[in-house]
Amino acid sequence: MKVSLLFSLIFVPSTLAFAGPKGWSAVHQLTGNPKVSVQTRSKTEAGPNVLDTFKACASAFVAVSLIAMATPNVAIAGDQGAEVASNSKITTGGASTLQSGRTITITRGVNLDRSDFGAQNLKGVAFQQSIVRDANFKGSNLFGASFFDATVDGSNFEDADMTQANVEMCQFNRSNLKNTVVREMYVSGSTLFEGVKSIENSDWTDTYLRADQKKYLCNHPTAKGTNPTTGADTRESLMCKD
């Protein structure tokens, strides 16, 4: 458990000015490298006890600020997919993940052909611009995963959950989407499903496809059935005109 102290002036450059009855002033500057400067008109105008107290308070404030800035973020392990350090890298080393709430840029052009990612929690994992042909994702949790501009020809997504996955500029030639939950997927005009192997029992609810892609999928011989996870009818989820 992480206990943090919040101070309104931490990380924000600010100036604190004090004026007393004898005309003394103190200026406290906070920047990227915290510094404290005290300016006085004369020793007699600024009482030593007041200045000493001010300096002590300023030093304590800077020390607490530095401790707060140095406190590391601690991830809580659990079923959080790529959000935890233990899931920070796929074993084959080709995809990067979310770490401390941010997406790390992946190594581009990595070949993950025929990799086995079956039945794994890959929530939020980024396979963008990777080569992932004939790979196995059967039964995996791919919620929010990114396949942006990835090559997934022939990959098996059967029984996988691809809700809110990013498949912009992705091509699914020979890919298997049987029983796949593909709800609310992010697609673009260059996302292509031509040559897809199967979409039987898939759920496309709230995934907005280009008109020609929607027509192609509705005319696909496997565009039928009901998704075993969500209970959605495949053709209805595609909004096919029957």
Side-chain angles (χ1 to χ4, degrees):
M1 178 179 298
K2 175 183 176 181
V3 179
S4 60
L5 299 177
L6 301 179
F7 295 90
S8 60
L9 298 176
I10 295 176
F11 308 118
V12 180
S14 61
T15 300
L16 300 179
F18 300 86
K22 294 186 178 181
W24 65 271
S25 65
V27 180
H28 181 194
Q29 299 285 350
L30 287 179
T31 62
N33 295 317
K35 297 180 180 179
V36 177
S37 62
V38 178
Q39 301 174 351
T40 62
R41 292 184 180 180
S42 68
K43 293 182 179 180
T44 57
E45 291 178 337
N49 293 336
V50 175
L51 287 179
D52 290 342
T53 302
F54 176 78
K55 290 179 180 179
C57 292
S59 298
F61 177 78
V62 172
V64 173
S65 300
L66 293 175
I67 292 173
M69 287 187 288
T71 303
N73 292 326
V74 179
I76 300 175
D79 189 19
Q80 300 178 37
E83 297 174 2
V84 296
S86 59
N87 297 329
S88 62
K89 288 291 179 183
I90 300 304
T91 53
T92 50
S96 66
T97 65
L98 297 175
Q99 294 177 344
S100 300
R102 62 193 180 92
T103 303
I104 309 299
T105 303
I106 71 163
T107 303
R108 299 183 179 182
V110 174
N111 192 324
L112 295 174
D113 285 354
R114 299 186 235 354
S115 296
D116 186 8
F117 299 109
Q120 294 189 39
N121 182 10
L122 305 175
K123 179 182 177 182
V125 173
F127 294 92
Q128 58 194 43
Q129 297 178 319
S130 296
I131 303 172
V132 203
R133 295 171 297 197
D134 300 303
N136 178 34
F137 293 95
K138 184 175 181 179
S140 291
N141 177 13
L142 292 167
F143 186 101
S146 177
F147 290 90
F148 177 84
D149 197 21
T151 303
V152 297
D153 293 1
S155 290
N156 183 14
F157 296 95
E158 184 173 347
D159 298 317
D161 183 1
M162 299 183 71
T163 302
Q164 295 184 15
N166 186 344
V167 295
E168 295 176 295
M169 299 177 67
C170 189
Q171 299 183 18
F172 288 86
N173 183 41
R174 298 186 296 106
S175 295
N176 181 15
L177 297 176
K178 183 177 181 180
N179 299 334
T180 309
V181 178
V182 285
R183 300 167 67 102
E184 303 177 59
M185 280 204 314
Y186 297 96
V187 299
S188 66
S190 54
T191 302
L192 300 177
F193 293 95
E194 274 91 346
V196 65
K197 180 179 180 180
S198 176
I199 61 169
E200 185 176 357
N201 302 330
S202 54
D203 180 3
W204 300 79
T205 301
D206 294 329
T207 293
Y208 300 100
L209 301 165
R210 201 173 69 189
D212 64 313
Q213 295 300 295
K214 174 182 174 181
K215 181 179 180 181
Y216 174 82
L217 292 175
C218 286
N219 291 332
H220 199 279
T222 63
K224 58 184 178 181
T226 302
N227 187 268
T229 302
T230 66
D233 181 270
T234 297
R235 298 190 66 80
E236 288 182 1
S237 68
L238 282 168
M239 294 186 291
C240 299
K241 296 179 180 179
D242 292 329

